[in-house]
Amino acid sequence: MSAVWFEAIQKVPNLQLVGLADIDRSRAVASAAKYGLKDIEIGTSLQDILPAAKPQVVFDVVVPQARKDLVLTAFYHGCDVLTEKPMAASLDDARTILQATRQSKRIHAVVQNRRYLANVRRIRRFLDQGALGRPTSIHCDFFIGPHFGGFREDMDNVLLVDMAIHTFDAARYMVNAVPKKVYCQEWEPENSWFKNGSSAIATFKFENGTVFNYRGSWCAPGIKTSWEGTWRIICERGSLTWDGHEQLHAERINGQRDGIFDETEIIEVPALSAEDRIGGHLGVIQDFVAAVSSRSIPETAGEDNIKSLAMVFAAVASAKQGNSVELEV
């Protein structure tokens, strides 16, 4: 993931990298050379480089199991932190990070980069305008068959823990609602090359009554969806679909009937305004830097993002227990 960060960082004015840490020092040296970084601190741990580098912020791209200790170390040295998703390896770790954020009065946010896709933000703005009425259900299909190699193929609950948080967070963001309960089934198909949990179906109920239905697989050969999935949002007075690429389509009932069906009319999903931040990792990093400068709360602050993390762990618990699970933050 660090490559995506390096590319985004180089596009942010007045942002200077002053140090790199990697448990394999040679990889940090190679990255510094690749991106033309000179006269920076390089070490095998964050603790090694912070005293000399003296950064204002730390960008955390470590594996989730190392995240809590890294964030606490950064806070101890007076740094704000932008962390890769997921926010933590467990809800207990996430709560510890939030408590430390409050106590240290630092800024902490999570790279929930799918929120900064143009069409995700367009859908949120469009639904907020109320043209279709209140969303009553939201559906997403995610079917891809990537051969990553490495740690993902040995993970437990790999789809839910490593990927589904993007979809869960996007759903929560699009309909601007808080999830309360989930029922999930998880399984490993015979054709799977993953250790555990490459396929799952989860149904969430939000506090306002909206239902979110997720169907996903990371071992689905052929006819793949976008990495963003394919979406259908059903509202009181119409529906919206998104193919996960560029195609958004919305229809609204017009008050007439054609036999047993309501007639509908196509309505435009407006483009974003110029000031609405987009750009995936770039958009998140830009907002985080702006929040650090103004000492304000970023959109993907940990205080908010823990709600998406709770969706993941509640889905995992439901799959293990075989029953519905209430979400706890």
Side-chain angles (χ1 to χ4, degrees):
M1 287 306 301
S2 64
V4 180
W5 286 69
F6 280 122
E7 291 163 7
I9 289 166
Q10 291 183 329
K11 298 175 183 177
V12 181
N14 303 318
L15 185 60
Q16 179 184 359
L17 275 171
V18 294
L20 294 175
D22 195 303
I23 56 174
D24 181 347
R25 192 177 190 278
S26 66
R27 291 191 297 192
V29 171
S31 291
K34 179 178 179 180
Y35 293 99
L37 303 172
K38 300 178 180 179
D39 301 321
I40 66 171
E41 299 296 324
I42 294 179
T44 56
S45 74
L46 187 62
Q47 185 67 45
D48 287 346
I49 66 172
L50 283 180
K54 295 182 174 61
Q56 186 176 359
V57 303
V58 167
F59 291 154
D60 160 26
V61 201
V62 301
V63 296
Q65 291 78 6
R67 183 146 293 139
K68 180 186 72 173
D69 290 343
L70 183 145
V71 173
L72 297 185
T73 298
F75 286 169
Y76 178 80
H77 285 268
C79 301
D80 300 311
V81 180
L82 179 62
T83 188
E84 188 55 74
K85 65 82 193 165
M87 177 181 169
S90 70
L91 275 178
D92 284 342
D93 280 3
R95 294 184 186 110
T96 299
I97 289 171
L98 290 186
Q99 183 179 16
T101 304
R102 299 177 194 119
Q103 291 175 344
S104 65
K105 297 182 181 179
R106 305 316 309 172
I107 294 174
H108 172 261
V110 181
V111 172
Q112 207 67 66
N113 55 305
R114 260 62 173 195
R115 280 200 185 197
Y116 286 77
L117 295 175
N119 280 336
V120 171
R121 297 181 91 73
R122 284 177 69 193
I123 290 170
R124 168 64 181 268
R125 303 293 179 260
F126 177 67
L127 294 177
D128 281 350
Q129 292 169 5
L132 301 180
R134 188 182 68 81
T136 57
S137 64
I138 180 169
H139 309 267
C140 182
D141 283 349
F142 176 88
F143 295 108
I144 293 182
H147 291 267
F148 292 111
F151 72 94
R152 287 183 179 88
E153 294 186 6
D154 293 323
M155 284 179 63
D156 290 327
N157 316 107
V158 61
L159 180 67
L160 291 173
V161 172
D162 193 65
M163 186 65 202
I165 190 168
H166 284 302
T167 312
F168 293 176
D169 183 78
R172 184 172 71 83
Y173 174 74
M174 286 177 185
V175 300
N176 191 22
V178 177
K180 302 299 290 184
K181 182 185 292 188
V182 61
Y183 176 73
C184 180
Q185 289 184 295
E186 189 183 52
W187 71 97
E188 204 57 48
E190 290 184 6
N191 67 303
S192 175
W193 48 95
F194 292 89
K195 170 189 172 184
N196 176 263
S198 67
S199 300
I201 295 175
T203 301
F204 291 87
K205 188 170 184 178
F206 290 81
E207 64 180 4
N208 63 357
T210 300
V211 171
F212 166 45
N213 180 48
Y214 169 83
R215 304 189 302 175
S217 174
W218 250 359
C219 56
I223 319 178
K224 64 179 180 291
T225 65
S226 157
W227 278 97
E228 318 316 326
T230 58
W231 297 77
R232 177 182 292 267
I233 302 174
I234 302 172
C235 303
E236 294 169 314
R237 299 191 298 276
S239 295
L240 177 147
T241 60
W242 177 36
D243 66 355
H245 297 288
E246 298 304 319
Q247 185 63 48
L248 283 174
H249 181 82
E251 295 184 12
R252 178 175 56 194
I253 57 176
N254 62 13
Q256 305 296 316
R257 287 274 177 88
D258 179 9
I260 61 174
F261 295 106
D262 289 313
E263 290 185 357
T264 60
E265 58 187 4
I266 296 173
I267 59 173
E268 180 183 0
V269 180
L272 294 174
S273 62
E275 60 269 16
D276 209 327
R277 193 91 70 185
I278 59 173
H281 274 72
L282 176 59
V284 181
I285 292 171
Q286 287 173 322
D287 266 3
F288 178 76
V289 170
V292 168
S293 298
S294 62
R295 306 313 295 173
S296 58
I297 299 174
E299 179 176 312
T300 59
E303 292 278 3
D304 176 77
N305 193 254
I306 194 173
K307 298 171 186 175
S308 296
L309 189 67
M311 294 176 74
V312 171
F313 287 116
V316 170
S318 173
K320 288 180 178 179
Q321 299 171 18
N323 54 24
S324 296
V325 170
E326 299 279 345
L327 272 69
E328 295 181 7
V329 176

